[in-house]
Amino acid sequence: MSMGAAQYDDDDDDYDETSPGGQRDEGAEEEFVELDLEKTLTWTGNAVTVQAGGEFRMPLLVPYPSVLAIQFEVDGGYDLEFSLTFKDDHEAESNVLVEPVRVSDREGQLDIDTTGLCEIIWSNSHAWMTSKTLSYQLQLAPKLDTRWRKRTMAAVTAATDFR
């Protein structure tokens, strides 16, 4: 998978992979993506216990190019190790989009331009005795195919201009 196929942007700007190779293109305009909000899927977990030395994995099948919004927090100000991988349907290996990082909360989004499997991992492997309580909300919103709409509008405009 090229790095442009899936991009994670969180509120801390630590994991902004905005173009192939992770370089931000200063001259490029930010493209507005239309989402199909009627087909948005939501997963919510409240008081999910992650045992000491254990982990909680959330695999998400991405059937269409989509935007995945991620929001979570660990109760009591404790931390978990958060990471995110993506396996493109057209590739043999999955890629780490967010390297493991210990955090108590996080909010961000993943821009996915292809289909595949996204896996979110919350690990408590660093704790020997303390379980952690996690609350999360994930929303997967398919992108609308605006190319078809633009072609249709161009054809209508051309037909109107021709009259």
Side-chain angles (χ1 to χ4, degrees), residues 73-85:
E73 70 178 314
V74 182
D75 288 354
Y78 291 109
D79 63 358
L80 288 170
E81 189 176 82
F82 169 73
S83 62
L84 191 146
T85 63

Side-chain angles (χ1 to χ4, degrees), residues 39-72:
K39 294 183 181 174
T40 297
L41 300 173
T42 302
W43 295 267
T44 303
N46 291 312
V48 176
T49 301
V50 183
Q51 297 296 328
E55 64 183 22
F56 175 64
R57 291 177 172 256
M58 184 68 152
L60 303 173
L61 183 62
V62 181
Y64 309 105
S66 304
V67 172
L68 174 63
I70 301 168
Q71 181 178 357
F72 71 88

